[in-house]
Amino acid sequence: MEVPKIAVIGCGNLGLAIVEGLIDNNDIPNKNITATRRSLPKIQHLVAKDVNVTDKNELAVKEAKIVILTVKPYNLLTIAKELKADLAPGTVIVSTATGVSIQEIADAIGTDFSIVRAMPNTAAEVRESLTCICDNGVSKEDYQLVEMLFNSIGKSIRIQEDLMDAATVLGACGIAYVLRFMRAMVQGGIQIGFDAKTASAIVNQTVKGAAELLTVNGHHPEYEIDKVTTPKGCTIVGINEMEHNGFSSSLIKGIVASHDKIEEI
Ligand SMILES: NC(=O)c1ccc[n+]([C@@H]2O[C@H](COP(=O)([O-])OP(=O)(O)OC[C@H]3O[C@@H](n4cnc5c(N)ncnc54)[C@H](OP(=O)(O)O)[C@@H]3O)[C@@H](O)[C@H]2O)c1
């Protein structure tokens, strides 16, 4: 199979994380990757790694099999329309923009293309993104290519488009919820005696360990909680106190509030 060419249009935070993930991953030769943005100096360092860099989107997409649009949602449809004439039929268009539907993208560029929406999160920067992906019925081969791209910056899950807002809330906003929870743990740790640096180190590794317990063992969180909560012990007293103060309830309400808001936008 011919190794596909990939164009990443709008190589800012996310686009760059994807390109760097692809470089590390080695499945696609770097010379097959083209990155674009208007402020070229910000991506010029990629040239040393054999990645093509240009501010001309139309040149980048000409021979690309996959075009990843990592521009802001308000730019997306305009840029897609500008590129329409330069896209070869059968190109896979991947949009990471929040709230722009597959139908809107198809209205902008036509129906000759496979269209995919992907919702990664900022952990892409450290190759630990969770990316939810939906599509308009792409071929198995095209889907595998897209999956490979996003697996190079973490893990991916295929979902239906009607869950894309929910994916944005749980996966992308979710990073902020978890970080706020971690900040609160650090504050608590300082109150019971640790300096901020030590408290952060303990919390960071504890959260990572808790996530790994679930990921590796495939257990429900409550199963792992039961192992820690000795009858009449300090853990259950602490957890119940948190629950009396609305811990789970406030998290669930926050998730639903974010989802209500995203539907308004
Ligand atoms: N960051 C995340 O983790 C994340 C997660 C999920 C989804 N998203 C979505 O992904 C998209 C990108 O987010 P981001 O955080 O990476 O934003 P960003 O850092 O602002 O990146 C967008 C880039 O697009 C470039 N751009 C703007 N107009 C352009 C044009 N006409 N041609 C080529 N490049 C152009 C900008 O660079 P120049 O000004 O130099 O052109 C900018 O660096 C957004 O739609 C966002 O909603 C992001």
Side-chain angles (χ1 to χ4, degrees):
M1 189 181 76
E2 196 188 340
V3 185
K5 292 192 171 158
I6 317 272
V8 182
I9 307 298
C11 225
N13 293 315
L14 181 62
L16 197 54
I18 293 173
V19 170
E20 286 175 347
L22 289 173
I23 292 171
D24 280 358
N25 186 279
N26 271 333
D27 280 341
I28 306 279
N30 295 357
K31 65 180 172 51
N32 283 31
I33 306 169
T34 303
T36 83
R37 68 179 290 170
R38 292 162 304 178
S39 326
L40 273 186
K42 293 188 175 152
I43 50 172
Q44 203 62 40
H45 61 282
L46 295 172
V47 173
K49 295 182 176 167
D50 242 4
V51 170
N52 308 293
V53 163
T54 176
D55 55 3
K56 298 193 173 41
N57 295 334
E58 65 283 4
L59 288 185
V61 303
K62 263 203 161 37
E63 292 177 7
K65 169 66 184 164
I66 300 189
V67 173
I68 310 178
L69 300 163
T70 50
V71 291
K72 294 285 191 199
Y74 56 80
N75 278 339
L76 181 89
L77 294 175
T78 312
I79 291 174
K81 276 184 198 150
E82 284 167 6
L83 292 178
K84 183 179 170 178
D86 296 292
L87 297 167
T91 306
V92 183
I93 311 295
V94 182
S95 159
T96 64
T98 308
V100 184
S101 68
I102 289 177
Q103 188 58 55
E104 287 172 290
I105 300 169
D107 290 344
I109 60 168
T111 51
D112 287 341
F113 312 101
S114 298
I115 301 173
V116 175
R117 285 179 63 192
M119 184 50 60
N121 63 36
T122 48
E125 202 178 314
V126 289
R127 321 272 178 266
E128 289 289 352
S129 174
L130 183 282
T131 305
C132 287
I133 305 174
C134 67
D135 60 272
N136 67 342
V138 301
S139 68
K140 192 173 164 208
E141 293 71 27
D142 285 352
Y143 187 80
Q144 280 171 344
L145 268 178
V146 171
E147 196 176 38
M148 181 272 290
L149 291 182
F150 286 100
N151 286 349
S152 72
I153 54 163
K155 294 187 168 65
S156 59
I157 294 179
R158 193 175 197 172
I159 62 169
Q160 294 296 319
E161 190 176 19
D162 61 2
L163 279 174
M164 234 20 207
D165 284 347
T168 307
V169 171
L170 208 58
C173 310
I175 289 273
Y177 311 145
V178 173
L179 291 174
R180 186 54 71 83
F181 155 77
M182 290 172 74
R183 187 187 79 169
M185 281 208 32
V186 171
Q187 300 306 104
I190 295 169
Q191 191 166 344
I192 59 173
F194 288 107
D195 61 82
K197 199 174 162 202
T198 310
S200 294
I202 294 172
V203 170
N204 292 354
Q205 183 57 31
T206 302
V207 169
K208 198 171 168 184
E212 281 296 296
L213 274 176
L214 301 187
T215 311
V216 173
N217 295 339
H219 293 151
H220 188 278
E222 211 55 37
Y223 177 85
E224 296 295 340
I225 290 172
D226 282 346
K227 290 189 198 166
V228 190
T229 46
T230 311
K232 290 189 171 178
C234 61
T235 312
I236 192 64
V237 168
I239 283 193
N240 285 347
E241 184 64 19
M242 290 174 200
E243 291 300 349
H244 292 318
N245 285 288
F247 182 68
S248 294
S249 169
S250 79
L251 263 174
I252 295 165
K253 280 184 172 173
I255 288 169
V256 174
S258 288
H259 194 253
D260 289 346
K261 179 69 186 171
I262 212 171
E263 286 189 330
E264 275 172 28
I265 299 172

